[in-house]
């Protein structure tokens, strides 16, 4: 992966209801930043555990860019936005990550990131630990068209209501997309101050 980002790790948020960290969960693997705020610094005995969380979050980001992102028209920059519904890493041979996975390709034109392509891929990612890293072994994608609801209910199970709420919060999701994009721009010292989707006015990135 080129300059995609590890900042996405904190983009892996849950936002059901009014809270950006919702669905009654506050596990370190689902929201490391929030967990640290409420529970204090990671202890020495938790270092290996934290490293595993970072490693499989990175594997998800890599998959979004290197596999899903390449299904779209190519841009100069590819940014993944994985909105996580839930995770289960009780079995390191089959770590499960449920989410509404977005990816966008951009070209940089002056001070504006212009959207070339992108979209969302809700579903369940399966990962396996290999050495110190993880790899995605399978992606159960929610079907398009007539099978959409049935496949989503099967894949998300008792997490379906949370997934539905996440997928319906378009305004909040767009706010998070702009915030993540702004962080990416700062991290990589890009000249962009705006984002522009095709057919829409440019929108200023948050400072």
């Amino acid at each position: 992966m080129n300059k995609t980002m590890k900042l996405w790790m904190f983009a892996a948020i849950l936002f059901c209801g009014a809270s950006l960290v919702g669905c009654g969960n506050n596990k370190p693997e689902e929201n490391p930043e929030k967990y640290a705020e409420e529970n204090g610094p990671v202890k020495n005995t938790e270092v290996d555990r934290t490293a595993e969380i970072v490693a499989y979050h990175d594997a998800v980001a890599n998959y979004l860019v290197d596999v899903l992102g390449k299904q779209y028209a190519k841009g100069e920059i590819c940014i993944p936005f994985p909105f996580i519904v839930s995770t289960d890493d009780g079995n390191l041979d089959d770590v499960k990550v449920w989410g509404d996975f977005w990816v966008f390709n951009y070209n940089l034109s002056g001070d504006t990131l212009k959207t070339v392509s992108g979209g969302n891929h809700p579903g369940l990612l399966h990962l396996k630990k290999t050495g110190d890293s993880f790899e995605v072994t399978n992606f159960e994608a929610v079907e398009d068209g007539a099978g959409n609801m049935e496949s989503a209910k099967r894949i998300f199970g008792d997490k379906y209501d949370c997934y539905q709420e996440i997928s319906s919060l378009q305004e909040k999701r767009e706010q998070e997309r702009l915030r993540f994009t702004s962080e990416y721009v700062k991290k990589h010292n890009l000249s962009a101050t705006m984002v522009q989707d095709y057919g829409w006015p440019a929108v200023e990135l948050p400072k």
Side-chain angles (χ1 to χ4, degrees):
M1 180 174 77
N2 51 8
K3 292 183 177 179
T4 45
M5 57 189 173
K6 293 187 178 178
L7 74 86
W8 95 268
M9 179 175 144
F10 303 120
I13 58 173
L14 299 90
F15 50 86
C16 286
S19 172
L20 285 179
V21 185
C23 299
N25 295 313
N26 185 20
K27 300 178 181 179
E29 64 269 25
E30 292 172 348
N31 196 325
E33 187 177 49
K34 182 68 174 178
Y35 184 85
E37 287 177 1
E38 295 185 356
N39 296 276
V42 176
K43 300 176 183 178
N44 290 337
T45 55
E46 297 174 309
V47 168
D48 290 343
R49 167 76 173 139
T50 303
E52 285 178 353
I53 294 169
V54 172
Y56 74 70
H57 280 210
D58 284 349
V60 172
N62 289 346
Y63 183 85
L64 297 189
V65 172
D66 296 337
V67 177
L68 299 185
K70 289 182 178 177
Q71 296 178 12
Y72 297 96
K74 187 177 180 180
E76 297 170 350
I77 298 166
C78 182
I79 305 181
F81 299 93
F83 295 104
I84 304 302
V85 172
S86 187
T87 62
D88 179 357
D89 64 356
N91 177 4
L92 295 181
D93 286 330
D94 187 21
V95 174
K96 299 179 179 70
V97 182
W98 291 265
D100 190 11
F101 304 107
W102 289 76
V103 63
F104 289 94
N105 291 317
Y106 300 96
N107 286 335
L108 181 59
S109 177
D111 65 353
T112 304
L113 282 170
K114 296 196 173 186
T115 306
V116 175
S117 59
N120 74 315
H121 300 261
L124 169 60
L125 283 166
H126 295 263
L127 297 87
K128 180 178 181 178
K129 187 173 184 181
T130 54
D132 293 330
S133 62
F134 286 80
E135 62 178 349
V136 174
T137 59
N138 187 36
F139 179 42
E140 297 182 54
V142 172
E143 297 177 16
D144 293 327
N148 180 269
M149 182 178 293
E150 182 181 352
S151 64
K153 286 184 176 180
R154 172 177 53 81
I155 291 168
F156 285 94
D158 61 1
K159 307 165 187 63
Y160 176 74
D161 288 344
C162 185
Y163 157 68
Q164 236 188 355
E165 190 163 353
I166 285 176
S167 63
S168 67
L169 295 174
Q170 182 176 350
E171 183 177 348
K172 185 175 290 187
R173 188 173 59 243
E174 184 62 20
Q175 290 172 356
E176 292 304 307
R177 175 192 169 197
L178 292 175
R179 183 174 67 83
F180 303 155
T181 304
S182 178
E183 291 174 4
Y184 181 94
V185 165
K186 293 172 185 175
K187 181 180 178 67
H188 298 289
N189 297 314
L190 300 179
S191 61
T193 60
M194 312 277 282
V195 170
Q196 184 174 22
D197 291 335
Y198 182 78
W200 291 85
V203 178
E204 187 173 0
L205 291 171
K207 304 298 184 184

